[in-house]
Amino acid sequence: MELNARIPDGPIDKKWEKHRFDLKLVNPANKRKYKVLVVGSGLAGGAAAASLAELGYEVECYCYQDSPRRAHSIAAQGGINAAKNYQNDGDSVYRLFYDTVKGGDFRAREANVHRLAEVSNNIIDQCVGQGVPFAREYGGLLDNRSFGGAQVSRTFYARGQTGQQLLIGAYQALERQIGLGKVKMFPRHEMLDLIVVDGVAKGIVTRDMVTGEVESHVADAVCLATGGYGNVFYLSTNAKGCNGTAIWRAYKKGAAFANPCFTQIHPTCIPVTGDHQSKLTLMSESLRNDGRIWVPKRKEDCGKPAAEIAEEDRDYYLERKYPSYGNLAPRDVSSRAAKQVCDEGRGVGPTRLGVYLDFSDAIKRLGAAKIEEKYGNLFEMYERITDENPYKTPMRIFPASHYTMGGLWVDYNLMSTIPGLFVLGEANFSDHGANRLGASALMQGLADGYFVIPYTIGGYLAGIKPGTRIKAEDPIVKAAEQTVTERMSKLMSIGGKETPDHFHRELGKVMWEMCGMGRNEAGLKKALELIPKIREEFWSNLRIPGSSDDLNQSLEMAGRVADFLEIGELMCLDALERRESCGGHFREEWQTAEGEALRDDENFAHVAAWEYKGEGQAPVRHTEQLAFENVHLATRSYK
């Protein structure tokens, strides 16, 4: 397998401009002769489907939700980054590029990151034009706030509902194309396999989740925009339906899987309360603009109400350890710091797995009305879940699984190692390195969908003769359908005693304890012993009621858990092989005297991309060396 990133020559600030000019074009009359399948309808998928249809391509869009509007992008809260420099505080395209490379602990591809920073400003203009109600200052200009890992205010936001408002913008653009007949929408359809002909992606196999019908769909190119695999941890901030099945099916057909161990733990999540939970709730990182994070200095004070702990007895540990960034230290750094104080026995709350996020100083300084204006819906959500009023008592937060920086390997054109298969947004690995800076997920999703794929997919399609795509009746297509049908029959026929959730929960415990915030060789080797045992029991003791011929949510979940059991194993293998600490990947054997991540640039300044070799065979690890010509490798410091 060859990992050719296809990075253009020339100065970094000219690469994307030059590349766009060099790409081959499809003339407008020919575009309607090409069909593109877009799997996923979130920010990346919805934006891509709408943009490609606007250009004239025939587009089909698939989502497992009952509406494109229910894509998980809707759950994003805090904001979207762009280098507009409206605050006149020193921001620029280069600074956004620099912050992102540094924030990813120098494990991202420079060319992709600079392109992301370049198009960030276009995204804001696009969304304002769509009517996205970004917050505005008194004079009417768009407002900004700060997020972790940056010393400038570059995050545009719509209260605590930024993802929802951006998705509505993409959704109305998509619905317009659906209304014009240029996009055919397939809600409640789950992709269960990729159709590959002579090594080239030519379609997908889906299951109609209402009728149970297995269907094949052929095209000239396929775009996967299906999000990340964070639910491998069972408890995460992702919606329960979020899964890794689409990218895993592509991996098994030849798409390399890059950096699977690069997973993000978000520092501001409502703590776990018990075994009854099936997911966790995120509190936006934007809250760290005005909230101060602390724990008691003494263990014996941890059981007291926060109001009874004197100011001098509080440890504002992020402000103490990282004075330059304080409470806005990056997510990986902040999460490990919270874990450390809780490991010391200074955590708060019933489980002692929590720290305080305190707004009392901000309320005194700005007034409760201003805090409500900025964060009101988040405060309301917190109170509904915890029955505690955050205006009067500090929130309690703790890190939780959130985002996955790993994903299918793509080149500069967002094409995977399978020609014709493009991967967008969180489903690919491309832009964030070993840690994603806050407010950059929405930026990448919309950059890929609105401003990258419309150019690069045209360069690919220009090399395909119109009207030559495979027919739905082809034996290769029917064989892919048969594979999906047989897999479902196998799941239905096990006839065991345990539900899919049982196995998912067991996997989640192993992943969180041994491949979560802290990883070590012994733990990862133990996980690689335990996961195959859980998988073996899954395939011998799973119980799925009902039938595969109609609506069956247990069957849907079983298929996703089966894939998580394999994804989790690859994550642990990748974490074991990456013998360094970087970003969200913290190998306990590699840390500084102060407990910070210790990189090994000589041996691991690369992307690790895994190639599937077949059932029961060990995957092969390939590498793409990362070159740092514009941001010099340095020890990351936020002090």
Side-chain angles (χ1 to χ4, degrees):
M1 177 180 285
E2 181 187 5
L3 299 180
N4 181 358
R6 295 182 176 84
I7 298 171
D9 297 328
I12 195 162
D13 58 341
K14 301 296 182 183
K15 287 183 186 293
W16 178 229
E17 180 182 354
K18 178 181 183 298
H19 189 62
R20 282 183 298 175
F21 180 78
D22 290 342
L23 284 167
K24 293 180 180 179
L25 299 175
V26 179
N27 85 62
N30 274 349
K31 284 177 181 170
R32 68 179 70 98
K33 300 176 183 178
Y34 293 100
K35 181 190 284 189
V36 180
L37 308 184
V38 179
V39 186
S41 63
L43 289 182
S51 300
L52 294 173
E54 184 77 40
L55 286 171
Y57 297 107
E58 181 184 354
V59 178
E60 294 180 356
C61 186
Y62 301 82
C63 67
Y64 69 78
Q65 298 92 346
D66 58 356
S67 163
R69 261 198 66 183
R70 290 188 181 272
H72 190 56
S73 300
I74 205 169
Q77 298 169 347
I80 177 171
N81 288 330
K84 288 283 195 182
N85 195 31
Y86 283 167
Q87 303 298 316
N88 197 29
D89 57 359
D91 202 10
S92 64
V93 167
Y94 186 84
R95 189 176 295 277
L96 176 53
F97 159 67
Y98 174 86
D99 286 347
T100 305
V101 172
K102 176 184 175 184
D105 217 351
F106 302 91
R107 292 295 177 262
R109 192 189 286 156
E110 278 193 340
N112 287 64
V113 176
H114 196 279
R115 177 175 64 188
L116 178 64
E118 283 180 65
V119 304
S120 67
N121 293 333
N122 296 337
I123 295 169
I124 302 304
D125 297 340
Q126 168 92 358
C127 294
V128 169
Q130 290 176 334
V132 173
F134 287 120
R136 294 181 180 267
E137 296 178 328
Y138 178 75
L141 298 176
L142 295 183
D143 198 8
N144 294 115
R145 57 190 178 198
S146 299
F147 260 63
Q151 291 180 308
V152 296
S153 293
R154 64 161 67 101
T155 304
F156 294 78
Y157 65 99
R159 296 188 79 187
Q161 306 168 348
T162 314
Q164 182 184 52
Q165 299 304 322
L166 291 172
L167 186 62
I168 290 172
Y171 169 73
Q172 59 85 19
L174 175 60
E175 285 295 320
R176 177 173 177 271
Q177 298 302 320
I178 293 171
L180 292 170
K182 294 182 177 180
V183 174
K184 188 174 182 182
M185 190 71 216
F186 291 82
R188 302 294 283 155
H189 279 68
E190 183 167 26
M191 174 184 158
L192 295 180
D193 210 350
L194 179 73
I195 298 170
V196 177
V197 181
D198 297 328
V200 179
K202 288 295 183 182
I204 62 173
V205 179
T206 65
R207 178 178 181 269
D208 184 321
M209 296 162 67
V210 177
T211 67
E213 184 179 357
V214 175
E215 307 164 340
S216 58
H217 310 268
V218 295
D220 298 293
V222 177
C223 295
L224 296 187
T226 52
Y229 49 94
N231 270 344
V232 71
F233 290 98
Y234 183 70
L235 287 179
S236 87
T237 64
N238 292 273
K240 282 296 289 181
C242 294
N243 63 84
T245 289
I247 58 174
W248 196 246
R249 297 279 140 254
Y251 164 72
K252 287 195 163 185
K253 285 297 181 74
F257 203 122
N259 299 333
C261 76
F262 285 176
T263 55
Q264 181 167 82
I265 309 299
H266 199 292
T268 55
C269 178
I270 298 177
V272 178
T273 57
D275 289 338
H276 63 284
Q277 285 182 264
S278 61
K279 75 174 301 294
L280 297 170
T281 303
L282 177 72
M283 300 308 297
S284 170
E285 183 177 304
S286 63
L287 294 169
R288 296 200 280 159
N289 274 275
D290 291 301
R292 298 180 70 193
I293 297 171
W294 63 275
V295 292
K297 290 181 178 178
R298 299 189 301 264
K299 296 179 185 179
E300 52 267 31
D301 289 341
C302 292
K304 296 180 180 178
E308 294 181 12
I309 301 174
E311 183 71 17
E312 60 269 20
D313 295 327
R314 301 179 179 187
D315 179 13
Y316 295 92
Y317 58 89
L318 289 177
E319 298 172 32
R320 169 174 57 82
K321 295 177 70 173
Y322 310 104
S324 292
Y325 286 75
N327 296 297
L328 286 171
R331 291 179 176 178
D332 59 324
V333 172
S334 301
S335 294
R336 283 197 298 274
K339 180 179 185 295
Q340 183 180 16
V341 295
C342 290
D343 288 347
E344 292 170 0
R346 295 192 289 139
V348 299
T351 63
R352 295 292 188 268
L353 292 176
V355 299
Y356 286 127
L357 179 60
D358 193 340
F359 288 85
S360 57
D361 284 357
I363 290 172
K364 290 175 186 175
R365 184 177 72 253
L366 302 172
K370 186 64 176 178
I371 296 300
E372 183 179 6
E373 177 187 324
K374 295 170 77 173
Y375 310 114
N377 63 302
L378 297 171
F379 277 45
E380 179 185 354
M381 183 170 68
Y382 182 87
E383 185 170 7
R384 286 187 178 185
I385 292 170
T386 66
D387 198 28
E388 296 176 2
N389 184 346
Y391 292 99
K392 296 180 179 179
T393 186
M395 290 183 180
R396 285 179 290 108
I397 57 171
F398 192 69
S401 167
H402 179 55
Y403 187 91
T404 53
M405 287 76 67
L408 294 186
W409 184 92
V410 292
D411 63 14
Y412 192 71
N413 294 321
L414 303 185
M415 190 160 72
S416 71
T417 51
I418 300 176
L421 177 66
F422 295 82
V423 191
L424 287 63
E426 190 181 358
N428 74 36
F429 88 102
S430 65
D431 291 353
H432 305 299
N435 171 63
R436 177 176 67 79
L437 291 184
S440 288
L442 306 184
M443 175 173 63
Q444 188 209 347
L446 291 177
D448 287 356
Y450 283 138
F451 297 108
V452 179
I453 199 65
Y455 290 100
T456 60
I457 203 169
Y460 170 75
L461 292 173
I464 299 175
K465 186 177 179 181
T468 59
R469 64 174 170 265
I470 194 171
K471 305 298 183 184
E473 299 77 26
D474 191 281
I476 294 176
V477 176
K478 293 304 176 184
E481 286 183 21
Q482 185 64 25
T483 299
V484 170
T485 301
E486 289 174 357
R487 181 178 172 84
M488 287 192 298
S489 297
K490 184 178 179 182
L491 287 166
M492 294 297 302
S493 66
I494 295 172
K497 298 180 180 179
E498 298 291 354
T499 66
D501 268 2
H502 165 79
F503 298 102
H504 196 184
R505 188 181 291 109
E506 292 300 305
L507 172 66
K509 289 176 183 176
V510 172
M511 295 301 299
W512 181 250
E513 290 174 12
M514 299 174 191
C515 198
M517 274 192 284
R519 295 124 186 234
N520 57 59
E521 182 175 356
L524 291 167
K525 287 182 175 178
K526 181 68 173 176
L528 289 169
E529 292 176 6
L530 293 173
I531 294 172
K533 292 178 181 177
I534 299 172
R535 187 166 62 244
E536 183 180 354
E537 188 191 354
F538 173 90
W539 286 105
S540 63
N541 197 26
L542 173 72
R543 179 178 181 272
I544 302 175
S547 160
S548 63
D549 296 329
D550 53 16
L551 179 67
N552 190 333
Q553 292 183 309
S554 291
L555 175 59
E556 296 162 20
M557 182 56 69
R560 297 166 187 171
V561 172
D563 292 327
F564 280 139
L565 285 163
E566 297 179 2
I567 294 171
E569 188 171 17
L570 187 65
M571 287 171 61
C572 293
L573 184 59
D574 189 47
L576 183 63
E577 292 297 317
R578 186 169 284 275
R579 294 178 294 280
E580 64 164 354
S581 290
C582 57
H585 169 65
F586 191 73
R587 279 290 295 269
E588 294 166 357
E589 302 95 327
W590 283 276
Q591 56 182 299
T592 67
E594 297 176 320
E596 304 292 348
L598 184 62
R599 296 198 320 264
D600 180 354
D601 294 330
E602 184 177 348
N603 295 304
F604 290 97
H606 60 236
V607 177
W610 295 84
E611 178 186 6
Y612 180 69
K613 300 302 286 186
E615 201 73 34
Q617 303 295 313
V620 175
R621 186 179 190 267
H622 302 273
T623 61
E624 175 201 338
Q625 202 65 31
L626 294 170
F628 295 93
E629 300 167 351
N630 300 275
V631 180
H632 296 298
L633 285 165
T635 300
R636 193 168 58 136
S637 174
Y638 293 93
K639 296 187 176 183

